Amino acid sequence: MENPHNIDRMTTLSQVMERLRERGIHREFRMNEDHEMKYEDSEKNYKPDELTILKTYRFEGDSNPDDSAVLYLIEDNTGNKGILIDSYGADSNYSGQEFDTFLREIPINESDEYNFD
């Protein structure tokens, strides 16, 4: 799930989201309450091997560790790109182990194309 050598540390989540939006990436992948991974406005239920993590961005809260978040840039097997955002630490956006297990099973192919230094 993690590749600590290629994690960007841009100052804010909103800055990274804006840079991705400028590249046409603004839709989200989300896991629903039935533990199905969906692409925004799509009915497709993805399996981990139908997705690839292209980039991982981590954000640490300056004054509060509860403000930590991670944004994953994900591409599906048909070329759709989107983001998946999760708080990490004690307060994940997703309850249970299903999300973590799913995420660990997604192949990683980190791309320098999305380095925003």
Side-chain angles (χ1 to χ4, degrees):
M1 181 168 83
E2 295 182 22
N3 185 344
H5 304 292
N6 289 320
I7 296 175
D8 282 9
R9 298 192 184 275
M10 195 168 237
T11 54
T12 67
L13 176 62
S14 61
Q15 284 178 317
V16 170
M17 290 177 67
E18 180 56 29
R19 294 288 297 271
L20 292 171
R21 187 178 331 276
E22 289 169 0
R23 292 180 178 213
I25 302 166
H26 55 86
R27 294 174 66 191
E28 288 189 54
F29 287 94
R30 292 188 189 135
M31 183 171 277
N32 65 23
E33 57 278 346
D34 295 325
H35 307 293
E36 298 170 328
M37 185 63 73
K38 303 281 189 182
Y39 188 56
E40 190 174 314
D41 299 328
S42 169
E43 293 302 313
K44 177 149 176 56
N45 181 19
Y46 287 95
K47 294 180 172 67
D49 64 353
E50 296 175 307
L51 302 170
T52 302
I53 295 173
L54 299 178
K55 197 72 179 171
T56 302
Y57 304 90
R58 292 196 183 279
F59 305 93
E60 303 286 335
D62 288 334
S63 60
N64 185 347
D66 290 338
D67 292 338
S68 299
V70 62
L71 181 150
Y72 300 96
L73 173 57
I74 296 176
E75 183 175 37
D76 73 11
N77 56 356
T78 64
N80 292 311
K81 292 182 181 122
I83 60 174
L84 188 149
I85 302 170
D86 186 31
S87 298
Y88 64 93
D91 294 321
S92 172
N93 294 356
Y94 300 95
S95 61
Q97 290 297 316
E98 294 84 1
F99 176 76
D100 289 338
T101 300
F102 188 96
L103 203 58
R104 283 187 195 104
E105 293 177 1
I106 299 174
I108 298 171
N109 186 11
E110 290 273 337
S111 172
D112 290 339
E113 177 183 353
Y114 300 101
N115 288 344
F116 301 134
D117 297 331

